[in-house]
Coordinates of all heavy atoms in Angstrom, one line a residue:
M94 N 150.2 -202.1 -45.1 CA 150.6 -203.5 -45.6 C 150.5 -204.5 -44.4 O 151.1 -204.2 -43.4 CB 152.2 -203.4 -46.1 CG 152.5 -204.6 -46.7 SD 151.9 -204.7 -48.4 CE 152.7 -206.2 -48.9
A95 N 149.9 -205.6 -44.7 CA 149.8 -206.6 -43.7 C 151.2 -207.3 -43.5 O 152.0 -207.3 -44.4 CB 148.7 -207.7 -44.1
K96 N 151.3 -208.0 -42.4 CA 152.5 -208.7 -42.1 C 152.7 -209.9 -43.2 O 151.6 -210.6 -43.5 CB 152.5 -209.3 -40.8 CG 152.7 -208.3 -39.6 CD 152.6 -208.9 -38.2 CE 153.6 -210.0 -38.0 NZ 153.5 -210.5 -36.7
L97 N 153.8 -210.1 -43.7 CA 154.1 -211.1 -44.6 C 153.7 -212.5 -44.1 O 153.2 -213.3 -44.9 CB 155.5 -211.1 -45.1 CG 155.9 -211.8 -46.4 CD1 155.0 -211.4 -47.5 CD2 157.3 -211.8 -46.6
S98 N 153.9 -212.8 -42.8 CA 153.6 -214.0 -42.2 C 152.1 -214.3 -42.3 O 151.7 -215.4 -42.6 CB 154.1 -214.2 -40.8 OG 153.4 -213.1 -40.0
L99 N 151.3 -213.3 -42.1 CA 149.8 -213.5 -42.3 C 149.4 -213.8 -43.6 O 148.5 -214.6 -43.9 CB 149.1 -212.3 -41.7 CG 149.3 -212.1 -40.2 CD1 148.6 -210.7 -39.8 CD2 148.8 -213.1 -39.3
I100 N 150.0 -213.1 -44.6 CA 149.7 -213.3 -46.0 C 150.1 -214.7 -46.4 O 149.3 -215.5 -47.1 CB 150.4 -212.2 -46.8 CG1 149.8 -210.9 -46.5 CG2 150.2 -212.5 -48.4 CD1 150.5 -209.7 -47.2
N101 N 151.2 -215.2 -46.0 CA 151.7 -216.5 -46.3 C 150.8 -217.5 -45.6 O 150.6 -218.6 -46.2 CB 153.2 -216.7 -45.9 CG 154.1 -215.9 -46.8 OD1 153.7 -215.6 -47.9 ND2 155.3 -215.5 -46.3
R102 N 150.4 -217.3 -44.5 CA 149.5 -218.2 -43.7 C 148.2 -218.4 -44.5 O 147.7 -219.5 -44.7 CB 149.3 -217.7 -42.3 CG 148.5 -218.7 -41.5 CD 148.1 -218.1 -40.1 NE 149.3 -217.7 -39.4 CZ 149.1 -216.9 -38.4 NH1 148.0 -216.4 -37.9 NH2 150.3 -216.4 -37.8
E103 N 147.7 -217.3 -45.0 CA 146.4 -217.3 -45.8 C 146.7 -218.1 -47.2 O 145.8 -218.9 -47.5 CB 146.0 -215.9 -46.1 CG 144.6 -215.9 -46.7 CD 143.6 -216.2 -45.7 OE1 143.7 -216.1 -44.4 OE2 142.5 -216.8 -46.1
K104 N 147.8 -218.0 -47.7 CA 148.1 -218.8 -48.9 C 148.1 -220.2 -48.6 O 147.7 -221.0 -49.4 CB 149.4 -218.3 -49.6 CG 149.2 -216.9 -50.3 CD 150.5 -216.4 -50.9 CE 150.4 -215.1 -51.4 NZ 151.7 -214.5 -51.9
K105 N 148.8 -220.6 -47.5 CA 148.9 -222.0 -47.1 C 147.5 -222.5 -46.8 O 147.1 -223.7 -47.2 CB 149.7 -222.0 -45.8 CG 150.1 -223.4 -45.4 CD 151.1 -223.3 -44.2 CE 151.4 -224.6 -43.7 NZ 152.3 -224.6 -42.5
R106 N 146.6 -221.8 -46.3 CA 145.3 -222.2 -46.1 C 144.5 -222.5 -47.4 O 143.7 -223.4 -47.6 CB 144.5 -221.2 -45.3 CG 144.8 -221.2 -43.8 CD 143.9 -220.3 -43.0 NE 144.2 -220.2 -41.7 CZ 144.2 -219.2 -40.8 NH1 143.9 -218.0 -41.3 NH2 144.6 -219.3 -39.6
E107 N 144.8 -221.5 -48.3 CA 144.1 -221.7 -49.6 C 144.6 -223.0 -50.4 O 143.8 -223.7 -50.9 CB 144.4 -220.6 -50.5 CG 143.7 -219.2 -50.1 CD 144.2 -218.1 -50.9 OE1 145.0 -218.2 -51.8 OE2 143.7 -217.0 -50.6
T108 N 145.9 -223.4 -50.2 CA 146.3 -224.6 -50.8 C 145.7 -225.8 -50.1 O 145.3 -226.8 -50.7 CB 147.9 -224.7 -50.8 OG1 148.3 -224.6 -49.4 CG2 148.5 -223.6 -51.6
L109 N 145.6 -225.7 -48.8 CA 145.0 -226.9 -48.0 C 143.5 -227.0 -48.4 O 143.1 -228.2 -48.5 CB 145.1 -226.6 -46.5 CG 146.3 -227.2 -45.9 CD1 146.4 -226.7 -44.4 CD2 146.3 -228.7 -46.0
V110 N 142.8 -226.0 -48.6 CA 141.4 -226.0 -48.9 C 141.2 -226.7 -50.3 O 140.4 -227.6 -50.5 CB 140.7 -224.6 -48.8 CG1 139.4 -224.6 -49.6 CG2 140.6 -224.1 -47.4
A111 N 142.1 -226.3 -51.2 CA 142.0 -226.9 -52.5 C 142.4 -228.3 -52.6 O 141.8 -229.2 -53.3 CB 143.0 -226.1 -53.5
K112 N 143.4 -228.7 -51.7 CA 143.8 -230.1 -51.6 C 142.8 -231.1 -51.1 O 142.6 -232.2 -51.7 CB 145.2 -230.2 -50.7 CG 145.6 -231.5 -50.6 CD 146.9 -231.5 -49.7 CE 147.5 -232.9 -49.5 NZ 148.6 -232.9 -48.5
F113 N 142.1 -230.7 -50.1 CA 141.1 -231.5 -49.4 C 139.6 -231.3 -49.9 O 138.7 -231.8 -49.3 CB 141.2 -231.3 -47.9 CG 142.4 -232.0 -47.3 CD1 143.5 -231.2 -46.9 CD2 142.5 -233.3 -47.1 CE1 144.6 -231.7 -46.4 CE2 143.6 -233.9 -46.6 CZ 144.7 -233.1 -46.3
A114 N 139.4 -230.4 -50.8 CA 138.0 -230.1 -51.3 C 137.3 -231.3 -51.8 O 136.1 -231.5 -51.4 CB 138.1 -229.1 -52.4
A115 N 137.9 -232.2 -52.6 CA 137.2 -233.3 -53.1 C 136.9 -234.3 -52.0 O 135.8 -234.9 -51.9 CB 138.0 -234.0 -54.2
K116 N 137.8 -234.5 -51.1 CA 137.6 -235.5 -50.0 C 136.5 -235.0 -49.1 O 135.7 -235.7 -48.6 CB 138.9 -235.7 -49.2 CG 138.8 -236.8 -48.2 CD 140.3 -237.0 -47.6 CE 140.3 -238.3 -46.7 NZ 141.5 -238.6 -46.2
R117 N 136.6 -233.7 -48.8 CA 135.5 -233.0 -47.9 C 134.1 -233.1 -48.5 O 133.2 -233.5 -47.8 CB 135.9 -231.6 -47.6 CG 135.0 -230.9 -46.8 CD 135.4 -229.5 -46.5 NE 136.6 -229.5 -45.5 CZ 136.5 -229.6 -44.2 NH1 135.3 -229.7 -43.7 NH2 137.5 -229.7 -43.4
A118 N 134.0 -232.9 -49.8 CA 132.8 -233.0 -50.5 C 132.2 -234.4 -50.5 O 131.0 -234.7 -50.3 CB 132.9 -232.5 -51.9
A119 N 133.1 -235.4 -50.7 CA 132.6 -236.8 -50.7 C 132.1 -237.2 -49.3 O 131.1 -237.8 -49.2 CB 133.8 -237.7 -51.1
L120 N 132.8 -236.8 -48.3 CA 132.4 -237.1 -46.9 C 131.1 -236.4 -46.5 O 130.2 -237.0 -45.9 CB 133.5 -236.7 -45.9 CG 134.8 -237.6 -45.9 CD1 135.8 -237.0 -44.9 CD2 134.5 -239.0 -45.5
N121 N 130.9 -235.2 -46.9 CA 129.8 -234.4 -46.7 C 128.6 -235.1 -47.5 O 127.4 -235.1 -47.0 CB 129.8 -233.0 -47.1 CG 130.6 -232.2 -46.0 OD1 130.5 -232.5 -44.8 ND2 131.3 -231.2 -46.4
A122 N 128.9 -235.6 -48.6 CA 127.8 -236.3 -49.4 C 127.3 -237.6 -48.7 O 126.1 -237.9 -48.7 CB 128.2 -236.7 -50.9
V123 N 128.3 -238.3 -48.1 CA 128.0 -239.5 -47.3 C 127.1 -239.1 -46.1 O 126.2 -239.8 -45.8 CB 129.2 -240.3 -47.0 CG1 129.0 -241.4 -46.0 CG2 129.9 -240.9 -48.3
I124 N 127.6 -238.2 -45.4 CA 126.9 -237.7 -44.2 C 125.4 -237.3 -44.4 O 124.6 -237.6 -43.7 CB 127.7 -236.6 -43.6 CG1 129.0 -237.1 -43.0 CG2 126.9 -236.0 -42.3 CD1 130.0 -236.1 -42.6
S125 N 125.2 -236.6 -45.6 CA 123.8 -236.1 -45.8 C 122.9 -237.1 -46.4 O 121.8 -236.9 -46.5 CB 123.9 -234.8 -46.6 OG 124.6 -235.1 -47.9
D126 N 123.5 -238.3 -47.0 CA 122.7 -239.3 -47.7 C 121.9 -240.1 -46.5 O 122.6 -240.9 -45.9 CB 123.6 -240.2 -48.5 CG 122.8 -241.1 -49.3 OD1 121.6 -241.0 -49.4 OD2 123.5 -241.8 -50.1
Q127 N 120.6 -240.0 -46.6 CA 119.9 -240.8 -45.6 C 119.7 -242.2 -45.9 O 119.3 -243.0 -45.0 CB 118.5 -240.1 -45.5 CG 118.4 -238.6 -45.1 CD 118.9 -238.5 -43.6 OE1 118.6 -239.4 -42.7 NE2 119.6 -237.5 -43.3
S128 N 120.0 -242.6 -47.1 CA 119.8 -244.1 -47.5 C 121.0 -244.9 -46.9 O 120.9 -246.2 -46.9 CB 119.7 -244.2 -49.0 OG 120.9 -243.8 -49.6
I129 N 122.1 -244.3 -46.6 CA 123.3 -245.0 -46.0 C 123.1 -245.3 -44.5 O 122.5 -244.5 -43.8 CB 124.6 -244.2 -46.2 CG1 124.8 -244.0 -47.8 CG2 125.8 -244.9 -45.7 CD1 125.9 -243.2 -48.1
S130 N 123.6 -246.4 -44.0 CA 123.4 -246.8 -42.7 C 124.1 -245.8 -41.7 O 124.9 -245.0 -42.1 CB 124.0 -248.1 -42.4 OG 125.4 -248.1 -42.5
E131 N 123.5 -245.8 -40.6 CA 123.9 -244.8 -39.5 C 125.4 -244.9 -39.2 O 126.0 -244.0 -38.7 CB 123.0 -244.9 -38.3 CG 123.2 -243.8 -37.3 CD 122.8 -242.5 -37.9 OE1 121.9 -242.4 -38.6 OE2 123.5 -241.5 -37.4
E132 N 125.9 -246.2 -39.1 CA 127.2 -246.5 -38.7 C 128.2 -245.9 -39.8 O 129.2 -245.3 -39.4 CB 127.5 -248.0 -38.6 CG 126.8 -248.6 -37.4 CD 125.4 -249.0 -37.8 OE1 125.0 -249.1 -39.0 OE2 124.6 -249.1 -36.9
E133 N 127.9 -246.1 -41.1 CA 128.7 -245.5 -42.1 C 128.8 -244.0 -42.1 O 129.8 -243.3 -42.2 CB 128.2 -246.0 -43.4 CG 128.5 -247.5 -43.7 CD 128.0 -247.9 -45.1 OE1 127.7 -247.1 -46.0 OE2 127.8 -249.1 -45.2
R134 N 127.6 -243.4 -41.7 CA 127.5 -241.9 -41.7 C 128.4 -241.5 -40.5 O 129.0 -240.4 -40.6 CB 126.0 -241.5 -41.6 CG 125.3 -241.8 -42.9 CD 123.9 -241.5 -42.9 NE 123.5 -240.2 -42.4 CZ 122.5 -239.9 -41.7 NH1 121.6 -240.8 -41.5 NH2 122.2 -238.6 -41.4
Y135 N 128.3 -242.3 -39.4 CA 129.1 -241.9 -38.2 C 130.5 -241.9 -38.5 O 131.3 -241.0 -38.1 CB 128.7 -242.7 -37.1 CG 129.5 -242.4 -35.8 CD1 129.1 -241.3 -35.1 CD2 130.4 -243.3 -35.3 CE1 129.7 -241.0 -33.9 CE2 131.1 -243.0 -34.1 CZ 130.8 -241.9 -33.4 OH 131.4 -241.5 -32.3
E136 N 130.9 -242.9 -39.2 CA 132.3 -243.1 -39.6 C 132.8 -242.0 -40.5 O 133.8 -241.4 -40.4 CB 132.6 -244.4 -40.2 CG 132.6 -245.5 -39.3 CD 132.8 -246.9 -39.9 OE1 133.2 -247.0 -41.1 OE2 132.5 -248.0 -39.3
A137 N 131.9 -241.5 -41.4 CA 132.2 -240.4 -42.3 C 132.4 -239.1 -41.5 O 133.3 -238.3 -41.8 CB 131.2 -240.2 -43.3
R138 N 131.6 -238.9 -40.4 CA 131.7 -237.8 -39.6 C 133.1 -237.8 -38.8 O 133.7 -236.8 -38.7 CB 130.6 -237.7 -38.6 CG 129.3 -237.2 -39.1 CD 128.3 -236.9 -38.0 NE 127.0 -237.1 -38.5 CZ 126.2 -238.1 -38.2 NH1 126.6 -239.1 -37.4 NH2 125.0 -238.2 -38.8
L139 N 133.5 -238.9 -38.4 CA 134.8 -239.0 -37.7 C 135.9 -238.7 -38.7 O 136.9 -238.1 -38.3 CB 135.0 -240.4 -37.1 CG 134.0 -240.8 -36.0 CD1 134.3 -242.2 -35.5 CD2 134.2 -239.8 -34.8
K140 N 135.8 -239.3 -39.9 CA 136.9 -238.9 -40.9 C 136.9 -237.4 -41.2 O 138.0 -236.9 -41.5 CB 136.7 -239.8 -42.1 CG 136.9 -241.2 -42.0 CD 136.8 -242.0 -43.3 CE 136.9 -243.4 -43.0 NZ 136.6 -244.2 -44.3
L141 N 135.8 -236.8 -41.3 CA 135.7 -235.4 -41.6 C 136.3 -234.6 -40.4 O 137.0 -233.5 -40.8 CB 134.3 -235.0 -41.8 CG 134.0 -233.5 -42.2 CD1 134.5 -233.3 -43.5 CD2 132.5 -233.2 -42.1
Q142 N 136.2 -235.1 -39.2 CA 136.9 -234.4 -38.1 C 138.4 -234.5 -38.1 O 139.0 -233.8 -37.5 CB 136.3 -234.9 -36.7 CG 134.9 -234.5 -36.5 CD 134.3 -235.2 -35.2 OE1 135.0 -235.9 -34.6 NE2 133.1 -234.9 -34.9
Q143 N 138.9 -235.6 -38.7 CA 140.3 -235.9 -38.8 C 141.0 -235.1 -39.8 O 142.2 -235.0 -39.7 CB 140.6 -237.4 -39.0 CG 140.0 -238.3 -38.0 CD 140.7 -238.0 -36.7 OE1 141.8 -237.8 -36.5 NE2 139.9 -238.0 -35.6
L144 N 140.2 -234.4 -40.7 CA 140.8 -233.6 -41.7 C 141.5 -232.3 -41.0 O 141.1 -232.0 -39.9 CB 139.8 -233.0 -42.7 CG 139.2 -234.1 -43.6 CD1 138.3 -233.4 -44.6 CD2 140.3 -234.8 -44.4
P145 N 142.6 -231.7 -41.6 CA 143.2 -230.6 -41.0 C 142.2 -229.4 -40.8 O 141.3 -229.2 -41.6 CB 144.3 -230.2 -41.9 CG 144.5 -231.4 -42.8 CD 143.2 -232.1 -42.8
R146 N 142.3 -228.7 -39.7 CA 141.4 -227.6 -39.4 C 141.5 -226.5 -40.5 O 140.4 -226.0 -40.8 CB 141.8 -227.0 -38.0 CG 140.9 -225.8 -37.6 CD 141.3 -225.4 -36.2 NE 140.7 -226.4 -35.3 CZ 140.9 -226.3 -34.0 NH1 141.6 -225.4 -33.5 NH2 140.3 -227.2 -33.2
N147 N 142.6 -226.2 -41.0 CA 142.7 -225.2 -42.0 C 142.3 -225.6 -43.4 O 142.3 -224.9 -44.3 CB 144.2 -224.7 -41.9 CG 144.5 -223.8 -40.8 OD1 143.6 -223.1 -40.3 ND2 145.7 -223.7 -40.5
A148 N 141.8 -226.9 -43.5 CA 141.3 -227.3 -44.7 C 139.9 -227.0 -45.0 O 139.3 -227.2 -46.0 CB 141.4 -228.9 -44.9
N149 N 139.2 -226.4 -43.9 CA 137.9 -225.9 -43.9 C 137.8 -224.6 -44.7 O 138.5 -223.6 -44.3 CB 137.4 -225.9 -42.6 CG 135.8 -225.8 -42.5 OD1 135.1 -225.5 -43.6 ND2 135.3 -226.0 -41.4
P150 N 136.9 -224.5 -45.7 CA 136.9 -223.2 -46.5 C 136.4 -222.0 -45.6 O 136.7 -220.9 -45.9 CB 135.9 -223.5 -47.6 CG 135.5 -224.9 -47.5 CD 136.1 -225.5 -46.3
T151 N 135.7 -222.2 -44.5 CA 135.3 -221.1 -43.7 C 136.4 -220.5 -43.0 O 136.2 -219.3 -42.5 CB 134.2 -221.6 -42.6 OG1 134.8 -222.6 -41.8 CG2 133.0 -222.2 -43.4
R152 N 137.5 -221.0 -42.9 CA 138.7 -220.4 -42.3 C 139.4 -219.4 -43.2 O 140.4 -218.8 -42.8 CB 139.6 -221.4 -41.7 CG 138.9 -222.3 -40.7 CD 139.8 -223.1 -39.9 NE 141.0 -222.6 -39.4 CZ 141.2 -222.3 -38.1 NH1 140.2 -222.4 -37.2 NH2 142.4 -222.0 -37.7
L153 N 139.0 -219.4 -44.5 CA 139.7 -218.4 -45.4 C 139.2 -217.0 -45.1 O 138.1 -216.8 -44.7 CB 139.3 -218.8 -46.8 CG 139.9 -220.1 -47.3 CD1 139.4 -220.4 -48.8 CD2 141.5 -220.1 -47.3
R154 N 140.1 -216.1 -45.4 CA 139.7 -214.7 -45.2 C 140.0 -213.9 -46.4 O 141.1 -214.1 -47.1 CB 140.7 -214.2 -44.0 CG 140.5 -212.7 -43.7 CD 139.4 -212.6 -42.7 NE 139.4 -211.1 -42.4 CZ 138.3 -210.6 -41.7 NH1 137.4 -211.4 -41.3 NH2 138.4 -209.3 -41.5
N155 N 139.1 -213.1 -46.9 CA 139.3 -212.3 -48.1 C 140.3 -211.2 -47.7 O 140.2 -210.5 -46.7 CB 138.0 -211.5 -48.5 CG 137.1 -212.5 -49.2 OD1 137.5 -213.6 -49.6 ND2 135.8 -212.2 -49.2
R156 N 141.3 -211.1 -48.6 CA 142.4 -210.1 -48.4 C 142.6 -209.2 -49.6 O 142.4 -209.8 -50.8 CB 143.7 -210.8 -47.9 CG 143.7 -211.3 -46.6 CD 145.1 -211.8 -46.1 NE 145.1 -212.2 -44.7 CZ 145.3 -211.4 -43.8 NH1 145.7 -210.2 -43.9 NH2 145.3 -211.7 -42.5
C157 N 143.0 -208.0 -49.4 CA 143.4 -207.2 -50.5 C 144.6 -207.8 -51.4 O 145.5 -208.2 -50.7 CB 143.7 -205.8 -50.0 SG 144.3 -204.6 -51.4
Q158 N 144.6 -207.8 -52.6 CA 145.6 -208.4 -53.4 C 146.8 -207.5 -53.5 O 147.8 -208.0 -53.6 CB 145.0 -208.4 -54.9 CG 143.9 -209.4 -55.1 CD 144.3 -210.8 -54.8 OE1 145.3 -211.3 -55.2 NE2 143.4 -211.5 -54.1
I159 N 146.7 -206.2 -53.2 CA 147.9 -205.3 -53.2 C 148.5 -205.3 -51.9 O 149.7 -205.5 -51.7 CB 147.4 -204.0 -53.7 CG1 146.9 -204.0 -55.2 CG2 148.7 -203.0 -53.6 CD1 146.3 -202.8 -55.6
T160 N 147.7 -205.0 -50.8 CA 148.2 -204.7 -49.5 C 148.1 -205.9 -48.5 O 148.8 -206.0 -47.5 CB 147.5 -203.5 -48.9 OG1 146.2 -203.8 -48.7 CG2 147.8 -202.3 -49.7
G161 N 147.2 -206.8 -48.7 CA 147.0 -207.9 -47.8 C 146.0 -207.5 -46.7 O 145.9 -208.3 -45.8
R162 N 145.4 -206.3 -46.8 CA 144.6 -205.9 -45.7 C 143.3 -206.7 -45.7 O 142.6 -207.1 -46.6 CB 144.1 -204.4 -46.0 CG 143.2 -203.9 -45.0 CD 142.7 -202.5 -45.4 NE 141.6 -202.0 -44.6 CZ 141.6 -201.5 -43.4 NH1 142.8 -201.4 -42.7 NH2 140.5 -201.1 -42.8
P163 N 142.9 -207.3 -44.4 CA 141.8 -208.2 -44.3 C 140.4 -207.6 -44.1 O 139.4 -208.4 -44.4 CB 142.1 -209.0 -43.0 CG 142.9 -207.9 -42.2 CD 143.6 -207.2 -43.2
R164 N 140.4 -206.3 -43.9 CA 139.1 -205.7 -43.8 C 138.8 -204.7 -44.8 O 139.7 -204.1 -45.4 CB 138.9 -205.0 -42.3 CG 139.1 -206.0 -41.2 CD 139.1 -205.3 -39.9 NE 139.1 -206.3 -38.9 CZ 138.6 -206.2 -37.8 NH1 137.8 -205.1 -37.4 NH2 138.6 -207.0 -36.8
G165 N 137.5 -204.5 -45.1 CA 137.2 -203.4 -46.1 C 137.5 -203.9 -47.5 O 138.0 -203.2 -48.3
V166 N 137.4 -205.2 -47.8 CA 137.9 -205.8 -49.1 C 136.5 -206.0 -49.9 O 135.6 -206.6 -49.5 CB 138.5 -207.1 -49.0 CG1 138.9 -207.7 -50.3 CG2 139.8 -206.9 -48.1
Y167 N 136.6 -205.4 -51.1 CA 135.5 -205.6 -52.1 C 135.8 -206.8 -52.9 O 136.8 -207.0 -53.6 CB 135.4 -204.4 -53.1 CG 134.7 -203.1 -52.4 CD1 135.6 -202.3 -51.6 CD2 133.5 -202.8 -52.4 CE1 135.1 -201.2 -51.0 CE2 132.9 -201.8 -51.8 CZ 133.8 -200.9 -51.1 OH 133.2 -199.8 -50.5
S168 N 134.9 -207.9 -52.6 CA 135.2 -209.2 -53.3 C 135.1 -209.2 -54.8 O 135.7 -209.9 -55.6 CB 134.3 -210.3 -52.8 OG 132.9 -209.9 -53.0
R169 N 134.3 -208.3 -55.3 CA 134.2 -208.1 -56.8 C 135.5 -207.7 -57.5 O 135.8 -208.2 -58.5 CB 133.0 -207.1 -57.1 CG 132.8 -207.0 -58.5 CD 131.6 -206.0 -58.8 NE 131.3 -205.9 -60.2 CZ 130.3 -205.1 -60.7 NH1 129.6 -204.5 -59.8 NH2 130.2 -205.2 -62.0
F170 N 136.3 -206.9 -56.7 CA 137.5 -206.5 -57.4 C 138.7 -207.1 -56.7 O 139.8 -207.0 -57.2 CB 137.6 -204.9 -57.1 CG 136.5 -204.2 -57.7 CD1 135.4 -203.6 -56.9 CD2 136.3 -204.0 -59.1 CE1 134.3 -203.0 -57.5 CE2 135.3 -203.2 -59.6 CZ 134.3 -202.8 -58.9
G171 N 138.5 -207.7 -55.5 CA 139.7 -208.2 -54.8 C 140.6 -207.1 -54.2 O 141.8 -207.5 -53.9
L172 N 140.2 -205.9 -54.0 CA 140.9 -204.8 -53.5 C 140.4 -204.3 -52.2 O 139.1 -204.3 -52.0 CB 141.1 -203.7 -54.5 CG 141.7 -204.1 -55.8 CD1 141.7 -202.9 -56.7 CD2 143.2 -204.5 -55.6
G173 N 141.1 -203.7 -51.3 CA 140.7 -203.1 -50.3 C 140.1 -201.7 -50.6 O 140.3 -201.2 -51.7
R174 N 139.4 -201.1 -49.7 CA 138.6 -199.9 -50.1 C 139.5 -198.8 -50.4 O 139.2 -198.0 -51.3 CB 137.8 -199.5 -48.8 CG 138.5 -199.4 -47.5 CD 137.6 -199.0 -46.4 NE 138.3 -199.0 -45.1 CZ 139.2 -198.1 -44.7 NH1 139.3 -196.9 -45.5 NH2 139.7 -198.1 -43.6
S175 N 140.6 -198.6 -49.8 CA 141.6 -197.5 -50.1 C 142.2 -197.7 -51.4 O 142.4 -196.8 -52.3 CB 142.6 -197.3 -49.0 OG 143.3 -198.6 -48.8
K176 N 142.7 -198.9 -51.8 CA 143.3 -199.2 -53.0 C 142.3 -199.2 -54.1 O 142.7 -198.9 -55.3 CB 144.1 -200.6 -52.9 CG 145.2 -200.6 -52.1 CD 146.3 -199.5 -52.5 CE 147.4 -199.3 -51.6 NZ 148.3 -198.4 -51.9
L177 N 141.1 -199.6 -53.8 CA 140.1 -199.5 -54.9 C 139.8 -198.1 -55.3 O 139.6 -197.7 -56.5 CB 138.7 -200.2 -54.4 CG 137.6 -200.0 -55.3 CD1 137.8 -201.0 -56.6 CD2 136.3 -200.6 -54.6
R178 N 139.8 -197.2 -54.3 CA 139.6 -195.7 -54.5 C 140.7 -195.2 -55.3 O 140.5 -194.5 -56.4 CB 139.5 -195.1 -53.2 CG 139.1 -193.6 -53.4 CD 138.7 -193.0 -51.9 NE 138.2 -191.7 -52.1 CZ 139.0 -190.5 -52.2 NH1 140.2 -190.6 -52.3 NH2 138.3 -189.4 -52.3
D179 N 141.9 -195.6 -55.0 CA 143.1 -195.1 -55.8 C 143.0 -195.5 -57.1 O 143.3 -194.7 -58.1 CB 144.4 -195.5 -55.0 CG 144.6 -194.9 -53.7 OD1 144.0 -193.9 -53.4 OD2 145.5 -195.5 -53.0
A180 N 142.7 -196.8 -57.4 CA 142.7 -197.3 -58.8 C 141.6 -196.8 -59.5 O 141.7 -196.4 -60.7 CB 142.5 -198.9 -58.7
A181 N 140.5 -196.5 -58.8 CA 139.4 -195.8 -59.6 C 139.7 -194.3 -60.0 O 139.3 -193.9 -61.1 CB 138.1 -195.8 -58.7
M182 N 140.4 -193.6 -59.1 CA 140.8 -192.3 -59.4 C 141.7 -192.2 -60.6 O 141.8 -191.3 -61.3 CB 141.4 -191.6 -58.2 CG 140.4 -191.4 -57.1 SD 139.1 -190.1 -57.8 CE 138.0 -190.1 -56.5
N183 N 142.6 -193.3 -60.7 CA 143.6 -193.3 -61.7 C 143.0 -193.9 -63.0 O 143.8 -193.9 -64.1 CB 144.8 -194.2 -61.3 CG 145.6 -193.5 -60.1 OD1 145.6 -192.3 -60.0 ND2 146.4 -194.3 -59.4
G184 N 141.8 -194.3 -63.0 CA 141.1 -194.9 -64.2 C 141.6 -196.2 -64.5 O 141.5 -196.7 -65.7
E185 N 142.1 -197.0 -63.6 CA 142.6 -198.4 -63.8 C 141.5 -199.4 -63.8 O 141.8 -200.6 -64.2 CB 143.7 -198.7 -62.8 CG 144.9 -197.7 -62.9 CD 145.8 -197.9 -61.7 OE1 145.6 -198.8 -60.8 OE2 146.9 -197.2 -61.7
I186 N 140.4 -199.1 -63.3 CA 139.2 -200.1 -63.3 C 138.2 -199.5 -64.3 O 137.6 -198.5 -64.1 CB 138.8 -200.1 -62.0 CG1 139.8 -200.6 -61.0 CG2 137.5 -201.1 -62.0 CD1 139.3 -200.7 -59.5
P187 N 138.0 -200.3 -65.5 CA 137.0 -199.9 -66.5 C 135.6 -199.8 -66.0 O 135.1 -200.7 -65.3 CB 137.2 -200.9 -67.6 CG 138.4 -201.7 -67.3 CD 138.7 -201.5 -65.8
G188 N 134.9 -198.7 -66.3 CA 133.5 -198.6 -66.0 C 133.3 -198.1 -64.5 O 132.2 -197.9 -64.2
L189 N 134.3 -197.9 -63.7 CA 134.1 -197.6 -62.3 C 134.4 -196.0 -62.2 O 135.6 -195.6 -62.5 CB 135.0 -198.2 -61.3 CG 134.8 -198.1 -59.9 CD1 133.4 -198.7 -59.5 CD2 135.9 -198.8 -59.1
V190 N 133.5 -195.2 -61.8 CA 133.7 -193.8 -61.7 C 133.1 -193.4 -60.3 O 132.3 -194.0 -59.7 CB 132.9 -192.9 -62.8 CG1 133.5 -193.3 -64.1 CG2 131.5 -193.3 -62.8
K191 N 133.7 -192.3 -59.9 CA 133.3 -191.8 -58.6 C 132.0 -191.1 -58.7 O 131.7 -190.4 -59.7 CB 134.4 -190.7 -58.1 CG 134.1 -190.1 -56.7 CD 135.2 -189.4 -56.2 CE 135.0 -188.9 -54.9 NZ 134.8 -187.5 -54.7
A192 N 131.2 -191.4 -57.7 CA 129.8 -190.8 -57.8 C 129.9 -189.3 -57.5 O 130.6 -188.8 -56.7 CB 128.9 -191.5 -56.7
S193 N 129.1 -188.6 -58.2 CA 128.9 -187.2 -57.9 C 127.4 -186.8 -58.4 O 126.9 -187.2 -59.4 CB 129.9 -186.3 -58.7 OG 129.7 -186.5 -60.1
W194 N 126.8 -186.0 -57.5 CA 125.4 -185.5 -57.8 C 125.2 -184.1 -57.3 O 126.0 -183.5 -56.6 CB 124.4 -186.5 -57.4 CG 124.5 -186.8 -55.9 CD1 123.9 -186.1 -54.8 CD2 125.2 -187.8 -55.2 NE1 124.2 -186.6 -53.6 CE2 124.9 -187.6 -53.8 CE3 126.0 -188.8 -55.7 CZ2 125.5 -188.6 -52.9 CZ3 126.6 -189.8 -54.8 CH2 126.3 -189.5 -53.4

């Protein structure tokens, strides 16, 4: 089980990313638009830098929904490798069976 503070920090980042997503997308659109003057694009870059650091989606980390483990997480299921194996063995995930040959 991951520390509760790390799990809460990740949830806080998720809310910040959702809060600033529209503003970030609008600024990025201005920055990438070549028809806008260079001064306006520069101001948009400065405004983008003023956004909170944790509002950037690249700072998010995939974590296991059950344990909060940050590594070995299957994004399709949202579970860590050990919990995915346990759930598959108990038959809790439809269509997922252990390989045998």
Side-chain angles (χ1 to χ4, degrees):
M94 187 78 180
K96 287 175 63 175
L97 191 60
S98 61
L99 295 178
I100 295 171
N101 289 336
R102 186 185 305 164
E103 192 66 29
K104 288 179 183 175
K105 189 176 179 182
R106 283 184 182 142
E107 289 174 2
T108 57
L109 267 176
V110 167
K112 180 180 179 183
F113 287 100
K116 188 172 188 177
R117 179 175 288 278
L120 288 173
N121 280 328
V123 170
I124 291 170
S125 62
D126 190 1
Q127 296 294 323
S128 64
I129 298 176
S130 70
E131 189 64 35
E132 293 82 20
E133 292 178 18
R134 293 171 57 209
Y135 180 72
E136 288 178 13
R138 280 191 211 104
L139 292 179
K140 287 180 184 176
L141 187 65
Q142 290 176 359
Q143 296 301 317
L144 293 180
R146 179 173 285 177
N147 285 332
N149 195 343
T151 59
R152 296 190 49 105
L153 292 177
R154 177 88 177 168
N155 288 337
R156 289 189 174 268
C157 176
Q158 296 294 318
I159 298 171
T160 62
R162 178 180 165 84
R164 296 179 179 212
V166 177
Y167 288 83
S168 59
R169 182 173 181 182
F170 304 103
L172 297 175
R174 56 183 173 78
S175 59
K176 292 299 172 182
L177 178 67
R178 185 174 191 274
D179 292 343
M182 288 299 172
N183 294 335
E185 297 170 358
I186 302 176
L189 188 67
V190 292
K191 185 172 184 242
S193 61
W194 57 88

